Amino acid sequence: MAKQLIDRALRLGEGRKFKAYQKRVDSINRIEPEMEILEDHELREEADALRERARNGESLDSLLPESFALTREAAKRSLGQRHYDVQLIGGMVANDGAIAEMKTGEGKTLVATAPAYLNALAGGGVHVITVNDYLAEYQSDLMGRVYRFLGLSSGCILSNQDPALRREQYAADITYGTNNEFGFDYL
């Protein structure tokens, strides 16, 4: 009986959180038609304005719908891939510092672009952790197209990389690498 109450209470909390995520997805979806009609340079201007708002102290939480909508549109134009609503929710979960379980092929690499872009707006640099050097390099290059479209840079930390090159890669707005490399450099 007690286990059932605990399970029910946990599910209620998840339901509330999911409803909040869904409301944000609805906001993003309302913005999408506005983004679709913009020319590439106008989309970049929107991205620059969003970055300026973040650097002037506007909370990233308040910028989330616009930044996710911008990322979605940039991904459509630069990669031919559009974030599905469930992928936007996955990005929000990651942005909240929680874990979203996704199977192989469900778009984790694309999902990561939305919270990475959002958090890079403030100018402090973002690290995206992958499982091996191959994926770090591949994802940095591929998803870098989205970031460059939006006026940001991407870098990649690889094992056995020259220290000067590592510093250059860390200076990027969004840097991909493995937990081993980031952890070793931190120490």
Side-chain angles (χ1 to χ4, degrees):
M1 178 74 158
K3 183 182 179 332
Q4 290 173 336
L5 288 173
I6 292 171
D7 286 346
R8 185 169 182 232
L10 290 173
R11 282 193 307 273
L12 287 174
E14 288 174 3
R16 277 191 223 112
K17 194 67 174 172
F18 183 79
K19 284 180 185 177
Y21 289 143
Q22 188 57 54
K23 282 184 182 180
R24 292 194 125 172
V25 167
D26 294 342
S27 296
I28 295 163
N29 287 338
R30 280 192 297 276
I31 297 169
E32 186 174 19
E34 299 169 24
M35 299 293 170
E36 289 174 326
I37 61 172
L38 296 175
E39 298 290 330
D40 287 356
H41 74 277
E42 293 172 315
L43 198 66
R44 174 66 180 274
E45 289 169 5
E46 288 291 323
D48 292 343
L50 201 62
R51 188 169 41 258
E52 186 65 29
R53 288 169 50 196
R55 292 186 178 163
N56 286 334
E58 193 167 336
S59 78
L60 295 181
D61 193 54
S62 69
L63 298 176
L64 187 145
E66 288 174 80
S67 73
F68 275 42
L70 274 168
T71 306
R72 177 190 261 178
E73 188 60 29
K76 285 171 26 182
R77 294 182 190 197
S78 62
L79 301 174
Q81 298 178 9
R82 179 186 177 273
H83 295 75
Y84 292 107
D85 289 356
V86 69
Q87 290 172 315
L88 294 174
I89 291 172
M92 288 178 227
V93 169
N95 188 63
D96 285 347
I99 296 171
E101 182 180 353
M102 297 179 70
K103 296 177 183 170
T104 300
E106 290 186 328
K108 292 179 287 294
T109 303
L110 185 63
V111 165
T113 58
Y117 172 70
L118 171 64
N119 285 278
L121 290 174
V126 171
H127 298 153
V128 179
I129 300 171
T130 63
V131 297
N132 59 46
D133 278 357
Y134 168 78
L135 286 176
E137 190 170 31
Y138 172 76
Q139 291 174 0
S140 175
D141 178 55
L142 184 64
M143 297 303 123
R145 296 179 199 170
V146 176
Y147 305 132
R148 286 186 294 277
F149 191 93
L150 295 169
L152 298 180
S153 59
S154 68
C156 180
I157 301 298
L158 302 171
S159 60
N160 300 318
Q161 206 168 39
D162 177 81
L165 180 57
R166 281 176 104 81
R167 281 190 290 281
E168 182 182 313
Q169 298 303 304
Y170 273 120
D173 295 303
I174 300 166
T175 305
Y176 284 77
T178 65
N179 62 334
N180 289 343
E181 297 305 316
F182 287 129
F184 179 77
D185 289 344
Y186 177 76
L187 294 174

